[in-house]
Amino acid sequence: MAAVLAAGALVLSGCSSGSEDTDSAQDEKDKAQKQQAQIPFGDAEASTGPAAEVKGAQEGGTINVMQRDSYAHLDPGQIYVSDEGSLSRLIHRGLTGYKTDANVKQTIVGDLATDSGKPSDGGRTWTYTLKDNIKWADGTDITSKDVRHTFERQFAEFINDGPVFIQQWLANTPGTEYREMLPEGPYNGDHLPDSVLETPDDKTIVFKFKEPKPDLPYALAMPGYSMVSEAKDTKEKYDKDPMTAGPYKIESFKTGKSMTLVRNEHWDPATDATRNAYPDKYEITFNIQYETSTERLMADQGANKNSVSFNNQVDAATVPKLNKDPEAQKRKAAGYQPYVSQMAINMDRVKNKKVREAIAYALPIQPYQQAYGGPQGMELAGGLISPTVSGYEDGFDPFGKLEKPLGDPAKAKKILEEAGETGYKLTWGYINTPEGQNYSPTMEDTLEEAGFDVQRKEISAETYYDEIGLVDNKFDMYVSAWGADWPSASTVVPPLYDGRQIQDGSSNYSHTNDDFLNKEIDRVQKIADPAKAAKEWNKLSQYVVKDLISNIPMTYYKQIQLHGSNVGGVQYDDVIGALDPRKLYLKQ
């Protein structure tokens, strides 16, 4: 099973172009296969801090961070995209977390909890005990009341962009009906019953589910389930000014401009087995495009020697130059990512299946790959399950996208004509980034050639997922990228294609709502054997592509990142699909 972090993925990245090195490609394939190995759950010893020292690391200094996209959400309950997930590792803490050793081997351990959890009653009940001396950044103790509050507020209407797994498990419902269990959250004095969530004392938390939930330690490690302070919860305002518990706190945040992180003096490394905290400060600057960050890191002069990007990739045009620069190669980190890009067709608006079929045949996927770096940056996709995820099937390609990556407008045109839909108006919401501006004209031209009347509407990168996540959006189709939240395709199919999930902020961007699919999701979720479940999830993902034609697979993601020569501790982390910010330090 693959180990991948919540991607919900503002992973809108850019990478290489040109021919692919065969040995390098095979290495990446091997890495992808390794990600399908199950991540073990750690005991109390594995969960005891401090984190292992990074060889040669020293404390002090400021690391400069260049980011393209500003952070739309800082409230843990609203975090579900990759860049915010990277930041979360520095400022937030959850009950469990991913511990990574020097060989990038992952283990789920207790973060604020003493271990990864104690299951009983066949996995229906999980008990967690909080560590001693865990505090918020204001010096107050983190208690079980904060944990209860964290999960109860997830039921409130204003929390609509984060994960919903645990809420659904507690309510024992697969759809949005979980909110009915605690409609206002805890804000009117109501609480979940002890039969569902019990906190018998300040240090003990007991989750009680109707069905076995063997994946709970994975779910709890998601950034979206990090802790929220009950005393400092300001509801909607918390999203811009949260109370933090990680090794760093937010000194300042200017949306779209900059953020400064400084040490949290109340963070005790003895309580934390997953994080190091070497720099005194992180200075994050937004609106730095991939081309600019790549140019600065390639030059490696002045302040750029002390710089990284948590998420910016090497831009496509620079990769050939990078491949010929041995010094820059020493400062490269690369690997497969868990994300799959897909064109979501809004099923509420494009109801004619023949029209969706015509889109599937006409849509060229190679321009998207090329905009993000060609074969070195992305692999053309036939299915919706990433090569890093258990259940992936090579060769699935019902619309011949791999054989004809520039699309088949002639076949699409014939389908439209037979359906009497020639001239069908398609309103396409596309992201306003250099990559979006690159691939969208070619896609538009090919769809026009097939007989569609395409209306392109640009959407800001900062609010892109918020806008396409609205149920009543005004677009017929839009690109999204998604990665498994933990080692199972159960974190791909239900959140993306279960019709009972549809609500504002839901990741079911295509508004797929199919009775057969919904029932099958319920059936497969009860399969205890991971290998059998993986095959069934893959069948359902293929049903979405081939039978419903609601989502068109485009590419599997890869990642190439650079860092300055004075930055040490750089390690590519396949859980977040990017550099691990928890190990970074300045060499001098």
Side-chain angles (χ1 to χ4, degrees):
M1 302 194 300
V4 218
L5 177 70
L10 197 65
V11 207
L12 306 158
S13 23
C15 207
S16 65
S17 64
S19 60
E20 185 173 15
D21 179 81
T22 305
D23 292 337
S24 176
Q26 186 57 50
D27 287 345
E28 289 172 348
K29 282 287 189 183
D30 291 343
K31 288 179 183 177
Q33 284 293 117
K34 288 178 182 177
Q35 284 176 251
Q36 294 186 29
Q38 186 171 7
I39 295 175
F41 296 158
D43 58 12
E45 182 179 355
S47 306
T48 301
E53 290 292 323
V54 176
K55 186 178 180 180
Q58 51 190 337
E59 291 189 0
T62 298
I63 289 183
N64 306 310
V65 183
M66 296 181 273
Q67 293 286 108
R68 185 185 71 183
D69 303 313
S70 184
Y71 302 123
H73 299 295
L74 300 176
D75 182 333
Q78 300 281 54
I79 292 178
Y80 211 170
V81 298
S82 57
D83 54 350
E84 292 162 7
S86 294
L87 175 72
S88 178
R89 285 191 160 196
L90 296 177
I91 64 173
H92 293 311
R93 296 183 70 178
L95 287 177
T96 65
Y98 287 88
K99 178 179 179 179
T100 312
D101 67 16
N103 296 316
V104 203
K105 181 182 178 181
Q106 307 278 1
T107 305
I108 289 284
V109 298
D111 184 0
L112 293 173
T114 55
D115 54 33
S116 58
K118 291 182 171 63
S120 57
D121 190 24
R124 293 176 178 83
T125 301
W126 285 83
T127 301
Y128 288 88
T129 303
L130 294 178
K131 295 174 179 176
D132 296 330
N133 202 35
I134 50 173
K135 298 180 182 295
W136 295 107
D138 64 355
T140 58
D141 291 334
I142 299 173
T143 72
S144 63
K145 292 180 181 179
D146 295 306
V147 181
R148 173 178 280 278
H149 184 77
T150 294
F151 289 97
E152 290 181 337
R153 74 193 293 273
Q154 296 269 2
F155 289 79
E157 289 290 340
F158 74 91
I159 299 294
N160 52 28
D161 280 322
V164 297
F165 297 105
I166 295 178
Q167 300 94 295
Q168 292 173 344
W169 296 348
L170 291 170
N172 197 35
T173 176
T176 59
E177 293 83 3
Y178 70 84
R179 292 194 189 276
E180 297 173 7
M181 192 175 195
L182 198 64
E184 303 299 324
Y187 299 105
N188 290 334
D190 297 325
H191 296 283
L192 294 172
D194 284 351
S195 60
V196 172
L197 180 63
E198 185 180 7
T199 50
D201 55 55
D202 280 349
K203 284 190 171 293
T204 307
I205 305 97
V206 185
F207 295 91
K208 302 175 182 180
F209 305 107
K210 297 290 186 183
E211 302 286 343
K213 299 300 176 187
D215 287 350
L216 182 63
Y218 293 125
L220 290 172
M222 296 174 67
Y225 291 122
S226 297
M227 293 301 103
V228 171
S229 166
E230 180 183 31
K232 297 300 171 68
D233 186 1
T234 52
K235 298 180 73 173
E236 289 90 342
K237 293 180 181 178
Y238 200 81
D239 210 13
K240 297 300 180 185
D241 187 21
M243 176 58 63
T244 58
Y248 294 91
K249 60 184 179 181
I250 302 168
E251 183 179 70
S252 65
F253 177 40
K254 299 177 181 177
T255 301
K257 295 182 180 179
S258 64
M259 173 182 281
T260 300
L261 302 181
V262 296
R263 290 188 182 279
N264 169 15
E265 62 272 25
H266 296 291
W267 171 76
D268 183 355
T271 70
D272 198 329
T274 72
R275 299 171 184 84
N276 301 103
Y278 295 117
D280 291 330
K281 183 184 293 187
Y282 286 92
E283 289 286 0
I284 305 172
T285 305
F286 304 114
N287 288 319
I288 298 182
Q289 300 300 319
Y290 298 148
E291 295 86 350
T292 303
S293 58
T294 301
E295 179 182 1
R296 293 178 182 177
L297 292 171
M298 283 284 289
D300 196 40
Q301 298 294 318
N304 296 321
K305 291 184 176 182
N306 295 348
S307 300
V308 298
S309 177
F310 292 156
N311 305 95
N312 278 21
Q313 285 195 342
V314 173
D315 76 287
T318 307
V319 171
K321 180 180 177 182
L322 172 61
N323 290 339
K324 298 175 182 178
D325 188 333
E327 288 303 313
Q329 284 284 328
K330 296 176 184 177
R331 296 182 285 107
K332 182 182 81 170
Y336 252 93
Q337 291 186 304
Y339 314 117
V340 180
S341 67
Q342 50 199 281
M343 182 68 76
I345 302 175
N346 189 336
M347 299 282 275
D348 289 337
R349 291 169 61 94
V350 188
K351 298 182 178 182
N352 189 328
K353 183 177 177 180
K354 282 293 182 182
V355 172
R356 301 197 300 271
E357 184 181 4
I359 295 172
Y361 277 111
L363 185 74
I365 60 176
Q366 192 171 64
Y368 190 87
Q369 180 196 45
Q370 213 53 42
Y372 291 95
Q376 289 186 30
M378 289 184 171
E379 179 181 323
L380 295 177
L384 297 168
I385 303 297
S386 166
T388 67
V389 175
S390 181
Y392 164 75
E393 182 180 328
D394 193 13
F396 176 71
D397 185 24
F399 298 105
K401 310 304 293 181
L402 303 182
E403 182 181 346
K404 293 185 176 181
L406 293 177
D408 192 342
K411 186 165 187 173
K413 187 172 185 178
K414 185 176 180 181
I415 294 171
L416 275 186
E417 289 173 348
E418 291 174 350
E421 294 284 9
T422 300
Y424 189 98
K425 183 178 178 180
L426 271 182
T427 303
W428 175 17
Y430 76 98
I431 191 165
N432 185 18
T433 61
E435 294 77 23
Q437 297 286 2
N438 188 323
Y439 66 74
S440 61
T442 306
M443 286 185 170
E444 178 185 19
D445 289 345
T446 306
L447 289 165
E448 292 269 3
E449 185 182 345
F452 288 100
D453 176 12
V454 182
Q455 307 295 316
R456 277 193 300 149
K457 305 289 185 182
E458 68 178 40
I459 304 174
S460 166
E462 187 172 348
T463 61
Y464 183 76
Y465 277 93
D466 292 331
E467 292 197 41
I468 69 171
L470 293 174
V471 173
D472 189 26
N473 70 63
K474 305 303 180 184
F475 309 110
D476 295 319
M477 63 181 198
Y478 23 78
V479 175
S480 66
W482 186 265
D485 294 304
W486 66 83
S488 171
S490 66
T491 65
V492 176
V493 176
L496 289 185
Y497 315 117
D498 187 335
R500 297 158 295 187
Q501 304 271 26
I502 298 172
Q503 63 175 331
D504 284 350
S506 163
S507 47
N508 186 338
Y509 299 113
S510 59
H511 306 159
T512 296
N513 191 7
D514 179 77
D515 287 342
F516 170 78
L517 180 60
N518 294 345
K519 291 177 182 177
E520 282 293 284
I521 286 172
D522 292 344
R523 179 184 68 83
V524 179
Q525 283 182 323
K526 295 178 181 178
I527 298 175
D529 186 322
K532 290 181 180 178
K535 291 180 180 179
E536 293 301 308
W537 287 126
N538 188 50
K539 287 179 183 177
L540 291 187
S541 74
Q542 294 182 356
Y543 174 78
V544 170
V545 177
K546 183 165 61 78
D547 297 290
L548 298 181
I549 322 180
S550 60
N551 296 71
I552 305 168
M554 297 199 303
T555 59
Y556 305 126
Y557 278 71
K558 301 177 184 177
Q559 178 93 330
I560 301 176
Q561 290 181 262
L562 286 174
H563 58 89
S565 59
N566 200 31
V567 178
V570 177
Q571 190 176 78
Y572 183 83
D573 189 296
D574 57 26
V575 167
I576 61 175
L579 301 184
D580 187 348
R582 301 172 300 176
K583 298 177 179 294
L584 301 179
Y585 68 90
L586 287 177
K587 297 177 181 177
Q588 52 184 312

